[in-house]
């Protein structure tokens, strides 16, 4: 019997015993396979396969209703939308799973050849698996487009435009002589459905999908602990000073947790269905291209606009699915190289932003319609993130990570610390190692080297390490 099967059997027995006593599971009842470590309390799973992001946490089976709703939400998440399912008239993805393959990050199309610049884009390949934000340079939105450029459309309807990219490459070297190369994108948009927008009046920022790992424990995080981290996050010797983002959603000012800039207080299920898929719902009842020519074109292709495309109850099932996903355990924790890499992680002061340990609030998390997930309460979790905003710098090789896009309190150069749990399995789950908000980093090393601003000191400490220590730090990241 392998470790995973043994763990599942022991977990089931422990759960059955605990359920008889107090209808709950104590994380201390879990037997941890050799070489593994918990990442998210009872939401931890012990899988290393391509479905490591897309497997339910064991507590889902505690309630038959949860299990059924999880399956329903999973189906809706992966459901390929059609005209009859509310897709379009314009859209960015044809299902949640189209951009978040296996609940991870679908390989970004911009790295494939054949775009208008001959280096990549949505022009030649169709589906891009990217989200394209556009605005005027004064921050205003374009009347005929809104905040997102939808580069896909149903048959017979013209997309809003097509994204193209030209890649620029710069070579460098570590102090010990080992070479590296960084690349950065130059975006342009063609095939505008309305009047073309002059490049000098356009800000364009591109996002590749986020990994949907640890969404439940993240939503259950003790907000006071995050605020305490913000108050503590002041390390002038390293230039680090993080702050929380606050966003007004549903008429309430709330702490932001999700999104590249912590610009959302929840998992944005309703917004995702609306903006990404064109699926109307109770929170966003209007079509995303309301008032545009695509509305009329959609009608001619058989679209009707007289009813909502998805119910609030169905969206809460998707919310349950995302929050009920398991978090892969840390692996190879006893490996000497991994241990050395962990030491290097601390030596480079990465932990000052990628906070190792946090806790969830006693009541757990709350779904869209008020369902309480108390299973997620009072857990010790290891997301490797403080969920705070940090200035990531504006000038590296003449460019930087500043995308000039404001989200809540977050300025263009500020980004939420990316949670690292499960990141080492991205290649196995999604077949690539593209990182950062737009996928410009092709591996862990490049991701580190793009750190500027508050990450500058850690980047320089990493660069000054011996080659084997740099490799050990990368091996540690691969174990998460």
């Amino acid at each position: 019997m392998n470790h995973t099967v043994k763990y599942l059997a022991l977990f089931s027995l422990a759960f059955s015993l605990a359920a008889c006593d107090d209808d709950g599971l104590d994380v201390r009842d879990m037997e941890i396979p050799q070489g593994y470590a918990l990442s998210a309390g009872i939401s931890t799973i012990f899988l290393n396969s391509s479905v490591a992001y897309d497997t339910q946490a064991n507590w889902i089976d505690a309630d038959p209703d949860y299990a059924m709703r999880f399956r329903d939400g999973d189906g809706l998440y992966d459901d390929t939308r059609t005209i009859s399912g509310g897709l379009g008239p314009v859209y960015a993805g044809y299902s949640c799973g189209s951009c978040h393959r296996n609940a991870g990050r679908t390989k970004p199309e911009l790295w494939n050849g054949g775009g208008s610049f001959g280096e990549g884009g949505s022009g030649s390949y169709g589906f891009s698996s990217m989200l394209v934000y556009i605005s005027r340079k004064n921050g205003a939105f374009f009347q005929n487009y809104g905040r997102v450029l939808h580069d896909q459309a149903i048959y017979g309807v013209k997309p809003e435009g097509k994204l193209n990219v030209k890649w620029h490459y710069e070579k460098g070297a570590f102090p010990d002589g080992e070479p590296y190369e960084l690349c950065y994108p130059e975006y342009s948009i063609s095939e505008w459905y309305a009047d073309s927008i002059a490049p000098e009046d356009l800000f364009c920022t591109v996002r590749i999908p986020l990994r949907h790992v640890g969404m439940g424990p993240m939503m259950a995080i003790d907000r006071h602990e995050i605020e305490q981290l913000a108050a503590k996050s002041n390390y002038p010797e390293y230039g680090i000073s993080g702050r929380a983002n606050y966003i007004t959603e549903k008429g309430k000012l709330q702490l932001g947790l999700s999104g590249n800039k912590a610009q959302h207080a929840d998992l944005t299920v309703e917004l995702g269905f609306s903006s990404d898929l064109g699926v109307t719902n109770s929170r966003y009842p209007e079509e995303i291209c309301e008032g545009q020519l695509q509305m009329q074109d959609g009608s001619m292709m058989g679209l009707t606009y007289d009813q909502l495309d998805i119910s609030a109850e169905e969206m809460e099932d998707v919310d349950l699915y995302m929050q009920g996903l398991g978090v892969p355990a840390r692996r190879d924790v006893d490996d000497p190289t991994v241990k050395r890499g962990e030491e290097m992680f601390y030596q480079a002061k990465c932990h000052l932003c990628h906070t190792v340990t946090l806790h969830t609030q006693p009541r757990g998390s709350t779904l869209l319609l008020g369902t309480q997930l108390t299973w997620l309460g009072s857990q010790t979790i290891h997301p490797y993130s403080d969920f705070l905003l940090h200035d990531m710098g504006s000038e590296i090789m003449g460019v930087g990570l500043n995308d000039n896009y404001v989200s809540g309190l977050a300025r263009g150069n500020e980004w939420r610390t990316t949670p690292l749990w499960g990141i080492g399995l991205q290649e196995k789950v999604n077949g690539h190692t593209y990182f950062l908000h737009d996928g410009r980093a092709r591996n862990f090393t490049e991701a580190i080297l793009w750190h500027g601003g508050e990450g500058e000191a850690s980047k320089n400490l990493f660069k000054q390490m011996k080659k084997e220590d740099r490799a050990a730090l990368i091996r540690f990241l691969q174990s998460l």
Side-chain angles (χ1 to χ4, degrees):
M1 180 181 291
N2 63 40
H3 286 309
T4 301
V5 174
K6 179 180 179 182
Y7 160 75
L8 291 174
L10 289 170
F11 185 99
S12 298
L13 175 61
F15 169 76
S16 299
L17 294 174
C20 292
D21 292 336
D22 56 10
D23 196 29
L25 174 70
D26 190 328
V27 70
R28 291 171 297 182
D29 294 328
M30 297 169 63
E31 178 161 317
I32 303 171
Q34 185 176 355
Y36 289 80
L38 297 183
S39 294
I42 62 169
S43 288
T44 306
I45 58 174
F46 298 88
L47 288 178
N48 301 332
S49 69
S50 62
V51 294
Y53 298 166
D54 196 15
T55 298
Q56 69 192 55
N58 289 277
W59 59 263
I60 283 290
D61 289 325
D63 186 328
D65 182 56
Y66 281 173
M68 179 181 67
R69 293 181 60 192
F70 180 93
R71 288 192 295 270
D72 290 344
D74 188 0
L76 288 165
Y77 183 95
D78 289 323
D79 180 35
T80 301
R81 291 277 165 176
T82 62
I83 289 180
S84 60
L87 183 68
V90 294
Y91 60 93
Y94 49 83
S95 69
C96 304
S98 65
C99 288
H100 302 277
R101 182 173 176 266
N102 292 335
R105 315 180 86 173
T106 300
K107 184 177 181 179
E109 189 67 44
L110 80 173
W111 277 107
N112 289 330
S116 293
F117 281 100
E119 295 197 33
S122 59
S124 298
Y125 281 86
F127 178 60
S128 63
S129 74
M130 296 173 290
L131 199 60
V132 184
Y133 290 95
I134 59 174
S135 69
R136 295 187 183 277
K137 291 196 172 179
N138 64 5
F141 296 138
F142 296 103
Q143 182 176 356
N144 290 326
Y145 295 94
R147 71 186 184 101
V148 174
L149 181 85
H150 296 92
D151 62 354
Q152 312 299 312
I154 64 171
Y155 179 79
V157 176
K158 186 175 177 61
E160 293 179 331
K162 290 293 184 179
L163 177 73
N164 308 282
V165 62
K166 180 179 181 179
W167 289 103
H168 299 270
Y169 300 86
E170 297 286 345
K171 295 186 181 298
F174 291 99
D176 60 10
E178 182 184 12
Y180 64 79
E181 181 184 72
L182 295 180
C183 57
Y184 61 91
E186 177 187 338
Y187 297 114
S188 66
I189 297 171
S190 60
E191 302 179 45
W192 297 96
Y193 91 93
D195 294 337
S196 295
I197 297 171
E200 58 267 22
D201 192 31
L202 175 67
F203 271 139
C204 173
T205 180
V206 174
R207 311 286 172 82
I208 67 172
L210 290 169
R211 294 173 297 113
H212 285 163
V213 176
M215 296 291 97
M218 180 187 76
M219 291 311 303
I221 281 176
D222 186 338
R223 272 56 167 183
H224 297 299
E225 188 171 13
I226 301 300
E227 291 173 328
Q228 289 169 357
L229 279 176
K232 179 184 176 183
S233 182
N234 184 21
Y235 307 97
E237 65 272 36
Y238 302 112
I240 295 173
S241 181
R243 65 186 185 125
N245 198 357
Y246 290 90
I247 190 80
T248 298
E249 287 186 336
K250 301 180 181 178
K252 181 181 178 182
L253 182 66
Q254 304 178 65
L255 178 75
L257 285 174
S258 69
N260 286 283
K261 292 177 180 277
Q263 74 271 26
H264 294 292
D266 61 23
L267 299 186
T268 70
V269 173
E270 306 114 314
L271 180 60
F273 272 108
S274 172
S275 182
D276 298 352
L277 280 66
V279 174
T280 57
N281 54 74
S282 56
R283 186 176 175 188
Y284 298 99
E286 289 189 345
E287 298 289 342
I288 50 175
C289 55
E290 192 76 31
Q292 297 179 192
L293 296 175
Q294 289 93 341
M295 291 287 289
Q296 180 180 345
D297 294 339
S299 295
M300 295 178 64
M301 298 309 300
L303 276 182
T304 60
Y305 309 112
D306 56 352
Q307 64 183 17
L308 300 180
D309 298 321
I310 192 170
S311 70
E313 290 76 15
E314 289 174 314
M315 289 189 295
E316 191 183 62
D317 287 346
V318 176
D319 196 15
L320 173 63
Y321 159 73
M322 293 173 66
Q323 295 200 37
L325 289 169
V327 181
R330 274 194 58 202
R331 302 162 305 286
D332 302 322
V333 296
D334 299 322
D335 183 279
T337 304
V338 171
K339 288 184 175 181
R340 179 62 177 169
E342 186 172 17
E343 292 176 9
M344 295 299 100
F345 182 84
Y346 282 94
Q347 184 171 303
K349 309 304 175 184
C350 304
H351 67 288
L352 296 182
C353 297
H354 290 282
T355 303
V356 176
T357 302
L358 293 173
H359 303 86
T360 64
Q361 55 200 354
R363 65 179 181 276
S365 70
T366 305
L367 299 181
L368 295 179
L369 297 182
T371 301
Q372 200 78 31
L373 299 182
T374 55
W375 287 91
L376 295 172
S378 301
Q379 298 293 305
T380 298
I381 61 175
H382 305 288
Y384 289 83
S385 172
D386 57 10
F387 296 93
L388 299 178
L389 298 174
H390 294 275
D391 174 7
M392 291 299 292
S394 298
E395 293 297 325
I396 299 176
M397 303 185 311
V399 295
L401 299 182
N402 186 351
D403 70 343
N404 300 293
Y405 197 82
V406 176
S407 296
L409 301 180
R411 299 184 294 265
N413 60 336
E414 291 182 301
W415 300 88
R416 180 197 68 166
T417 305
T418 299
L420 299 181
W421 48 10
I423 198 169
L425 291 171
Q426 180 177 297
E427 184 172 14
K428 183 168 286 188
V429 173
N430 295 128
H432 68 88
T433 56
Y434 297 123
F435 300 118
L436 301 182
H437 68 283
D438 57 3
R440 69 178 64 189
R442 295 166 291 182
N443 50 56
F444 286 112
T445 298
E446 290 183 20
I448 295 171
L449 293 176
W450 271 110
H451 281 55
E454 296 180 45
E456 184 78 18
S458 289
K459 175 186 69 180
N460 289 334
L461 287 169
F462 172 74
K463 291 175 72 173
Q464 292 161 12
M465 292 177 184
K466 295 184 296 185
K467 181 177 180 178
E468 54 266 34
D469 287 339
R470 293 195 301 268
L473 195 157
I474 300 303
R475 179 68 185 89
F476 167 69
L477 295 176
Q478 292 170 340
S479 77
L480 296 179

